[in-house]
Structure formats: structure tokens, C-alpha cells
Amino acid sequence: MNPPDSQKPPRNGCYVLLTRFNHSCVPNCRISSAVAGPSDADASALASVATRTIHVGEELTFCYQNKELDAMTRRERHRVLPFACTCHVCSGTASQRLCSDLRRRLFRGMVYLIQGYDMNATTKQSPGLPLIIDPALKLRAERSQHTASSTFVYIALLLAVMEAEGIWGHFQLEGLSTLLPYLETPARRAIASRALEQSTAAECFFFAAGLYK
């Protein structure tokens, strides 16, 4: 009998192709989890998957910390990475870096609202800047007491923020469709269905905000 994943020792290896990929905080690829297979050799295989359209001649990049950096500001990321990242989001102008940090902070807060916990709990936050300011809203998130409509809007906003930041690809709009049967009224289900017809996450959120009317 194979031991559960939690009891398996960490796997190490030399991945000849992947070691040639550079890091980016806004990558165009991600490294998949272990490939399913009957043997240990299959379980140690890795694959690089594109997260968006990659143009001819464009460098392939992935995040060395996988998804852990998505919700970190530039300063927080540079504390974790063993090098000074020079990707375009880290080396942009002061105003560009500020906008990026605000989006990453909002991303982290939206994940808290949706999942009820801080995805980067080990990252030190600035004093006096809690992720969720409203204690009642924070408690509802931790107790999973949001309505289906609120959850739909929160996820739509999260996806729009990811799209704007360039880390779009870890989530997909199609996942929102699972909430449709749980929306409270036919009118709200119609609004959500129209939101899902949009081609971008920003447009989806624009229509999803109508659920609050």
C-alpha cells in the first residue's frame, strides 16, 4: 500500500529543461503538480503548462515559488526570493509598482473573503493594515456565511484583479458556473448567466456587480 501524500518524503531531481526557464512574478507558464501514473517515476514527472497565449519569440517563464507569490507585494516577494527579481512588474516605474502592490493586496483580501483564511498567513503584514477591516464581514468569511450572490461577485472581482495584474490563468471563469443553481432568484441567475457570457474577467465582474441591486 502506498503511503498518503502527507507521509511521502519530498522529491528532488534534476529537470534539465525546466532549469533553463527564468523566473517572473507575472509568468506565462506554470509548473503542474506531479503527473499521475502507476509508478514512482511517473509521480516525479513535471510539466510546464501555458497560462496564456505565448507569442513567437517570447521567453517562457514561470514563478519559482509557484502560486505563493501571487498575493505578495514586491517587497514581500523580494524577501522570499533568493535573488533580486527584474521582471517587468518588479522593475516598472514607482507608480506601476504601487498599482501592482495594490492589486496583489486586493487579491489576498479577496481570497480571504472567499476561502475564510489568509493564503499567506506566514507573511508579515504592515501594522494597522488588516486584510479585512470590517470585523462582521471577516467573521462571515471565516464561517462561510456569505450568500451565493456575494460569493459570485467576490470571485468575479478576484478574477478581474488577477487579469489586470497578469497572473490570469490560475483560475477560470468557467468555475463560476457551479454557483448558478445556488443563486437566490431567477433574476439573479439571469444576471450571473449574462456575466459568464463575457470574454474577459473585467467584463464579467461589471455584470456580476448587478447582483447587488
Side-chain angles (χ1 to χ4, degrees), residues 31-42:
I31 305 303
S32 71
S33 53
V35 177
S39 68
D40 287 342
D42 293 326

Side-chain angles (χ1 to χ4, degrees), residues 131-142:
L131 286 176
I132 309 298
I133 296 176
D134 186 339
L137 183 61
K138 182 175 182 289
L139 186 61
R140 286 201 300 272
E142 293 169 350

Side-chain angles (χ1 to χ4, degrees), residues 1-49:
M1 180 180 294
N2 293 325
D5 291 340
S6 60
Q7 297 179 12
K8 291 181 179 179
R11 296 182 181 274
N12 299 298
C14 180
Y15 299 96
V16 179
L17 292 178
L18 292 180
T19 56
R20 299 177 65 87
F21 285 29
N22 281 323
H23 165 84
S24 175
C25 296
V26 281
N28 53 27
C29 297
R30 66 177 175 84
I31 305 303
S32 71
S33 53
V35 177
S39 68
D40 287 342
D42 293 326
S44 63
L46 294 177
S48 178
V49 181

